[in-house]
Amino acid sequence: MTIKEIQEEIIDEFSMFDDWMQRYEYMIELGKSLPLIEEQYKTDDNLIKGCQSKVWVHAELDGDKLVFTADSDAIITKGIIAILVRAFSNQKPQDIIDADTQYIDEIGLKEHLSPTRANGLVSMIKQLKLYAVAYQTQLK
Amino acid sequence: MIETTLDIPAIRKDFPILQREVNGQPLVYLDNAATSQTPQQVIDAIVDYYQRYNANIHRGVHTLSQEATDAYEAARQKIQKHFNIAHPYEVILTSGTTDSINLVANGFTSFLKEGDEILVSAMEHHSNIVPWQMLCERTGAVLKVIPMSLEGELIMDEYHNLLSNKTKLVFCNHVSNALGTINPIKDIIDAAHKVGASVLVDGAQAAAHIKADLQALDVDFYTVSAHKMCGPTGVGILYGKEEWLKKLPPYQGGGEMIAEVTFEKTTYADLPHKFEAGTPNICGGIAFGAALDYMNSIGFEAIDQYEDELLNYATEQLLTIDGLKIYGTAAHKTSVISFNIEGIHPYDIGTIVDKLGIAVRTGHHCAQPIMDFYKIPGTVRASFSFYNTKDEVDKLVEGVRRARNMLL
């Protein structure tokens, strides 16, 4: 699936819920199902700066595709990074660089986050894209 | 049943913000340790100032300036009276506690030498740590920490052991913002004075709950922020004993703090203006006076008794939630409950209860050393004021229980 297709799938999933409690519950479920980062990668170097809770992201190439694993010590934050990892993992770096993140607005995630968490979300997107830029250079 | 002589429904009507909804739910505001809400009486004082007599103070001969000056100085006298300060000129109006602490820390630069010691309690927030660290870097003085117990009480034996003739300054909060502990500051002050050390007490958290008698305490410096006691943000006080305020050099230059300026030499104004450079927060100072009037009209004794009842009830009810642990269980506490639920990050609880209209603080509360002490990333902190109700405590408990069920 392309990034766009996965994003549309996520929008569809969130549109099934009427209220924000249900959406939070779903986000928490996504967080719980996140492929966990290996313990050795939970280092300060892999911490995303700008998040109030801790978020670790590790990226590595599998052929020409970039695979992300992540973890957080807060479950809602873990749900947020899970939504990003699901769209961006197993994708080509260039596609990640080119991808827009409009789907975040469409599921209403940003507007329902506290300003600190919304800043964290921006930092997470930026970090995933920075990884893509770095690996794209490597692939060339 | 919570017993009180206070008419809580009538008091709540004084606070317009308490009528609003958050996320479609009636607001339950339990972040009073960060900032308290503002009653209509204080809002009216602010509006009145800007509508009728907004002018700069002390220098103007016109009527508005005179009126503003009179109101500002009247506020200073209200503060003096409230805290039982000997002279109005010992009340320095600052932008708040952090500004007050920095003023003293800067002033002490010329009074310390290498090897002098500064004692700071283990339960300080960053504003009462960082300025002293900076002072130590400038002077070569050594910062030593008065340890605390797991209950969140200062270990007084250790404090006495740390005191020596090298100790020049002791810094401690009256009440811990993160734990709610009321510290035995009279004992701390008396012991420090015996070795010739001076004491600064950060009263920011205490001022909304305890009417401190600063002459009886014999404290050298005491700091307060208006916004934690129903006043506006951006204004507070530094109380200093006259002898110290005369000795300390000015903190900032310009405006009201001068007596005479030539390009060769400047002489400084008398107290309190020596420390009040530039145009002060005139409206804020006046509104601070109105906030003190308001709180005194309710009565600190009744406030203290009612908040204590709220604290006990909330503690009892929160502890019925599985896995909930309270940090800070000192014998003497104000109405602050810092807690976590095993296996759940405090931010997650804060986020969920916010969706239910409940405002609590989450995080390290600008007191990271306390969190390091307990080896936790932060806590959820519910802090109560006299306008909170038993019903709001019930909503908090229900919200936290719901969050727990969602998050685990």
Side-chain angles (χ1 to χ4, degrees):
Chain A
M1 281 172 93
T2 65
I3 293 175
K4 189 78 188 158
E5 285 166 347
I6 297 169
Q7 289 177 343
E8 277 165 10
E9 193 178 73
I10 294 170
I11 292 168
D12 282 349
E13 288 169 13
F14 271 86
S15 67
M16 290 190 300
F17 304 112
D18 297 332
D19 67 38
W20 258 92
M21 271 303 164
Q22 290 175 322
R23 290 180 188 207
Y24 264 105
E25 277 171 355
Y26 186 58
M27 204 151 62
I28 291 161
E29 285 310 311
L30 290 175
K32 286 177 181 169
S33 62
L34 181 73
L36 287 180
I37 197 168
E38 282 179 48
E39 211 52 43
Q40 61 179 340
Y41 297 127
K42 276 170 82 165
T43 60
D44 285 352
D45 287 347
N46 285 334
L47 268 176
I48 295 182
K49 291 176 179 64
C51 296
Q52 292 270 335
S53 45
K54 287 185 175 176
V55 182
W56 298 269
V57 174
H58 172 68
E60 61 185 24
L61 273 177
D62 180 9
D64 62 350
K65 290 182 176 169
L66 201 51
V67 176
F68 291 109
T69 51
D71 199 1
S72 172
D73 57 352
I75 194 70
I76 294 173
T77 312
K78 213 165 153 179
I80 295 168
I81 191 74
I83 290 166
L84 297 176
V85 164
R86 187 164 140 201
F88 289 158
S89 199
N90 285 304
Q91 301 291 340
K92 288 179 180 171
Q94 191 59 52
D95 292 340
I96 297 168
I97 296 164
D98 295 340
D100 73 33
T101 51
Q102 182 64 27
Y103 79 118
I104 295 294
D105 293 333
E106 286 183 39
I107 61 174
L109 186 54
K110 218 176 193 171
E111 62 181 286
H112 286 278
L113 290 173
S114 66
T116 49
R117 274 209 151 109
N119 287 342
L121 174 66
V122 171
S123 301
M124 288 183 220
I125 294 169
K126 197 173 155 191
Q127 188 59 41
L128 296 181
K129 291 214 170 207
L130 280 173
Y131 273 124
V133 170
Y135 281 99
Q136 177 66 9
T137 312
Q138 201 174 311
L139 281 174
K140 281 180 182 170
Chain B
M1 182 68 189
I2 291 178
E3 286 181 19
T4 179
T5 54
L6 299 176
D7 184 353
I8 303 299
I11 287 171
R12 287 180 68 82
K13 282 187 189 153
D14 290 336
F15 292 82
I17 207 167
L18 299 180
Q19 317 308 321
R20 70 162 285 187
E21 291 190 342
V22 168
N23 294 320
Q25 307 282 340
L27 168 67
V28 175
Y29 185 78
L30 301 176
D31 193 17
N32 296 289
T35 198
S36 57
Q37 292 304 342
T38 317
Q40 190 62 49
Q41 290 84 337
V42 175
I43 297 168
D44 287 345
I46 294 167
V47 172
D48 185 46
Y49 169 77
Y50 281 112
Q51 283 186 341
R52 285 201 317 111
Y53 61 104
N54 175 25
N56 214 327
I57 54 172
H58 292 139
R59 281 157 296 216
V61 293
H62 60 82
T63 303
L64 262 56
S65 176
Q66 298 283 348
E67 287 177 4
T69 303
D70 288 349
Y72 192 70
E73 292 306 322
R76 195 192 304 274
Q77 286 175 11
K78 283 178 192 174
I79 296 163
Q80 176 207 353
K81 191 175 162 209
H82 178 83
F83 291 102
N84 189 28
I85 292 167
H87 309 288
Y89 53 78
E90 290 177 316
V91 177
I92 311 299
L93 282 147
T94 64
S95 70
T97 287
T98 301
D99 189 28
S100 300
I101 294 171
N102 276 282
L103 190 162
V104 179
N106 273 276
F108 260 90
T109 306
S110 49
F111 295 111
L112 292 182
K113 60 180 190 310
E114 200 168 336
D116 284 344
E117 291 179 357
I118 296 176
L119 304 188
V120 60
S121 97
M123 63 178 82
E124 295 310 307
H125 67 137
H126 300 159
S127 291
N128 208 18
I129 299 173
V130 181
W132 311 122
Q133 287 175 328
M134 292 161 76
L135 175 63
C136 287
E137 281 169 18
R138 287 195 297 273
T139 61
V142 179
L143 195 72
K144 292 195 166 178
V145 180
I146 310 162
M148 68 174 183
S149 66
L150 278 173
E151 289 76 25
E153 292 177 329
L154 289 177
I155 303 172
M156 292 300 281
D157 286 348
E158 300 262 12
Y159 169 58
H160 289 289
N161 289 339
L162 283 169
L163 283 170
S164 74
N165 58 9
K166 286 185 189 170
T167 313
K168 301 299 175 210
L169 289 161
V170 176
F171 305 106
C172 182
N173 52 34
H174 195 162
V175 167
S176 158
N177 72 321
L179 305 173
T181 308
I182 301 173
N183 283 311
I185 54 163
K186 181 62 183 155
D187 295 345
I188 289 168
I189 294 162
D190 289 347
H193 285 169
K194 276 183 189 155
V195 298
S198 301
V199 182
L200 181 143
V201 172
D202 170 356
Q205 287 299 326
H209 313 281
I210 299 165
K211 195 170 179 174
D213 181 332
L214 300 190
Q215 286 189 82
L217 284 171
D218 194 28
V219 67
D220 300 281
F221 302 99
Y222 196 87
T223 66
V224 174
S225 293
H227 72 97
K228 293 188 195 289
M229 48 188 318
C230 297
T233 56
V235 67
I237 64 153
L238 167 69
Y239 158 75
K241 278 184 181 167
E242 182 179 2
E243 56 182 284
W244 267 118
L245 293 179
K246 280 187 170 164
K247 272 194 276 187
L248 291 181
Y251 176 35
Q252 294 171 320
E256 194 61 31
M257 55 76 72
I258 59 100
E260 201 175 346
V261 177
T262 66
F263 281 112
E264 286 72 38
K265 185 171 172 58
T266 293
T267 52
Y268 304 126
D270 290 333
L271 293 174
H273 306 299
K274 174 182 157 187
F275 294 108
E276 294 182 354
T279 299
N281 183 351
I282 303 164
C283 176
I286 294 166
F288 187 6
L292 288 177
D293 287 343
Y294 180 79
M295 291 199 73
N296 280 309
S297 73
I298 292 170
F300 273 77
E301 208 173 308
I303 287 173
D304 182 45
Q305 180 263 333
Y306 177 64
E307 288 177 349
D308 217 37
E309 295 243 3
L310 274 181
L311 172 71
N312 291 338
Y313 178 70
T315 303
E316 194 181 281
Q317 294 302 311
L318 280 168
L319 286 172
T320 64
I321 298 171
D322 281 348
L324 189 140
K325 180 179 176 182
I326 292 175
Y327 295 88
T329 52
H332 300 288
K333 270 186 79 172
T334 53
S335 48
V336 168
I337 304 179
S338 244
F339 64 91
N340 276 332
I341 295 178
E342 201 180 345
I344 304 178
H345 196 284
Y347 283 116
D348 288 328
I349 296 173
T351 304
I352 300 295
V353 299
D354 172 61
K355 302 305 289 180
L356 302 168
I358 302 164
V360 291
R361 179 54 60 99
T362 57
H364 52 59
H365 318 300
C366 296
Q368 279 181 329
I370 297 179
M371 304 304 139
D372 292 344
F373 175 76
Y374 288 114
K375 297 185 174 59
I376 51 176
T379 67
V380 181
R381 183 186 69 186
S383 51
F384 308 96
S385 187
F386 56 90
Y387 44 70
N388 291 124
T389 64
K390 178 175 173 285
D391 179 52
E392 289 180 314
V393 172
D394 291 338
K395 283 184 178 164
L396 168 72
V397 174
E398 189 189 321
V400 172
R401 189 170 276 126
R402 187 166 172 188
R404 180 193 175 278
N405 293 341
M406 279 176 75
L407 293 162
L408 275 183

